[in-house]
Amino acid sequence: MTTAAPPFDWRKMALPVYLPTLLFAIGEGAIIPIIPIVADGLGATLAIAGLIAAMIMLGHLIGDIPSGWLVSRIGERPAMIGAALVAIVGLGIATLSPNPVVLGLGILIVGIATAVFALARHAFMTTFVPQPYRARALSTLGGTFRLGYFIGPFLAAGVIALTGSTSAVFLIHIVGCVGAAAVLLLLRDPAATFGAGRAAHHAPTPGEAFVAEEVRGLFRTIWESRQILTRLGTGAALIGALRASRAVILPLWAVSIGISDTRTAIIIGIAGGIDFALFYVSGQVMDRFGRLWAAVPSMVGLGAGHLVLAGSGALPGNVVWFIAVAMFLALANGLGSGILMTLGADLADKRNPAPFLGAWRFTGDIGGAAASLVIAAATAAFSLAVASSVMGVLGLLGAGVLLRYVPRFVPRERR
């Protein structure tokens, strides 16, 4: 008779699982707010700066195509180490870029590497974290990214103040990637640590989980999962769209109203602190009351925040409204911390989750990439306020889609 599995030990996850993620996220959090500012300094228009900022999400989308296959083939740790090294290459190109085109290429490479890094960590959590703890563990993972996005902008502001160069901020991400790779190389592979306990209770081993006899391609997985991905996946795409929009539109708005690069980084960093503070609350809500109670309020808040930002241009005190909306959007985003990873983990094949998680992440990143391109196009054709309005309406539509399909595809487990 199979004995019950031992209690899940959170302490074993801190260094090998969360620390590399934190180091990588600090670097990413440092560069995201300054990408449009660097582009503006290289002579890009507001719309072109938005397009360059969109390259990181377009890179995520491209990186999603091979990421599930890659993680299934070589395992989580080698994939993350390789992704960190590729990101360093892209960051080097961005640091030395002489024009917006080269900057966009470097950011695109960073986005591709980030997709592989994030998918590898998500696949590990899905395989080795028991179901009763999953939303909290994945929300903590999301919170680790958010902690990085909180710390990173403050480091960026410090580097800009010390060097007088916004391009120097890319060096923060290079250091973060080097640190993440070093931790992964020096510490024991977490798959071996957690896999031993799971194997003893007849659970899937790391080899069974990550190296299937036949690894399905991304588009085959999308076709086989088309019912979920065309319905609940639409909600995931809209979540990705609103999150990407927030990351792109706030720095662009700051540029448009003349806020300095240092102040922009500080404001976005404070907003990141609010976002980070809610990650565990989101996990508790999802585990106790269901995924819907985190997803819908988050999307309503993100949609409303974009609409308020669009209308703030006609009101006095632009900077004050910008700060208020940035904080409100952070609050709304924090309420949904970990929701995409949790829904993906709920739906994935537990024996080999990476292919479906790649397809799920691809679906969300389609929304993110499309949103970033819509913002750039709407800004070029009309104005940044119109772009923000469009995204606000999409956020409210996304809340309706989630309300319709989350209870259908992710029912609560029987106690």
Side-chain angles (χ1 to χ4, degrees):
M1 184 176 67
T2 303
T3 59
F8 186 65
D9 191 349
W10 290 88
R11 294 171 297 177
K12 292 182 179 179
M13 301 187 69
L15 288 178
V17 176
Y18 292 125
L19 181 57
T21 305
L22 176 61
L23 293 171
F24 195 93
I26 287 173
E28 190 178 13
I31 70 167
I32 286 176
I34 61 92
I35 292 171
I37 299 170
V38 174
D40 180 66
L42 292 173
T45 65
L46 194 62
I48 296 299
L51 182 61
I52 292 171
M55 288 297 103
I56 197 161
M57 285 309 305
L58 187 59
H60 284 191
L61 190 64
I62 295 171
D64 286 336
I65 295 174
S67 60
W69 174 87
L70 183 65
V71 173
S72 292
R73 279 291 178 195
I74 68 176
E76 178 245 14
R77 184 167 70 162
M80 292 180 71
I81 294 170
L85 296 178
V86 172
I88 290 171
V89 173
L91 291 163
I93 293 172
T95 303
L96 302 174
S97 57
N99 56 59
V101 174
V102 177
L103 175 64
L105 174 63
I107 299 303
L108 181 70
I109 294 171
V110 173
I112 293 170
T114 301
V116 177
F117 190 98
L119 186 278
R121 181 56 78 222
H122 191 186
F124 168 81
M125 301 289 276
T126 300
T127 300
F128 294 109
V129 176
Q131 172 73 23
Y133 302 94
R134 180 178 296 151
R136 278 167 283 181
L138 289 171
S139 291
T140 302
L141 180 63
T144 303
F145 278 106
R146 284 165 167 77
L147 178 59
Y149 298 157
F150 168 52
I151 297 172
F154 289 106
L155 292 179
V159 167
I160 293 169
L162 288 173
T163 65
S165 170
T166 51
S167 295
V169 173
F170 293 118
L171 297 176
I172 298 173
H173 201 357
I174 291 175
V175 172
C177 289
V178 171
V183 170
L184 289 163
L185 285 169
L186 295 174
L187 296 181
R188 186 182 180 190
D189 187 351
T193 301
F194 288 91
R198 293 291 296 272
H201 294 85
H202 307 287
T205 66
E208 291 170 338
F210 290 115
V211 187
E213 292 182 2
E214 179 184 357
V215 181
R216 296 176 293 180
L218 173 66
F219 296 107
R220 178 179 173 186
T221 305
I222 290 173
W223 175 252
E224 293 177 353
S225 306
R226 60 190 179 276
Q227 183 183 23
I228 292 175
L229 294 178
T230 55
R231 297 180 184 182
L232 187 53
T234 301
L238 290 169
I239 292 174
L242 268 292
R243 288 179 171 178
S245 173
R246 169 177 168 263
V248 170
I249 213 161
L250 287 177
L252 284 176
W253 200 277
V255 170
S256 71
I257 62 177
I259 301 178
S260 69
D261 45 8
T262 303
R263 289 182 67 192
T264 299
I266 291 172
I267 292 168
I268 292 177
I270 294 171
I274 295 173
D275 196 343
F276 165 69
L278 293 170
F279 77 89
Y280 195 72
V281 173
S282 174
Q284 288 282 3
V285 169
M286 285 189 284
D287 275 339
R288 293 177 181 272
F289 303 106
R291 312 325 191 196
L292 193 67
W293 290 95
V296 172
S298 176
M299 286 295 282
V300 170
L302 287 170
H306 278 78
L307 292 173
V308 172
L309 183 65
S312 68
L315 300 173
N318 280 342
V319 175
V320 174
W321 277 103
F322 172 76
I323 294 172
V325 171
M327 303 308 153
F328 180 78
L329 287 173
L331 176 67
N333 197 53
L335 289 174
S337 178
I339 183 63
L340 281 179
M341 290 188 293
T342 303
L343 288 174
D346 289 338
L347 298 166
D349 181 353
K350 305 308 178 288
R351 295 168 299 174
N352 185 30
F356 179 82
L357 293 179
W360 179 256
R361 186 174 293 275
F362 183 77
T363 303
D365 286 347
I366 285 176
S372 301
L373 295 175
V374 165
I375 290 170
T379 301
F382 302 103
S383 68
L384 193 56
V386 171
S388 187
S389 298
V390 170
M391 297 312 303
V393 172
L394 288 176
L396 298 180
L397 289 175
V401 171
L402 292 167
L403 187 63
R404 170 66 179 86
Y405 289 118
V406 167
R408 175 176 177 179
F409 287 101
V410 189
R412 294 186 62 182
E413 290 190 333
R414 293 179 180 176
R415 300 297 180 186

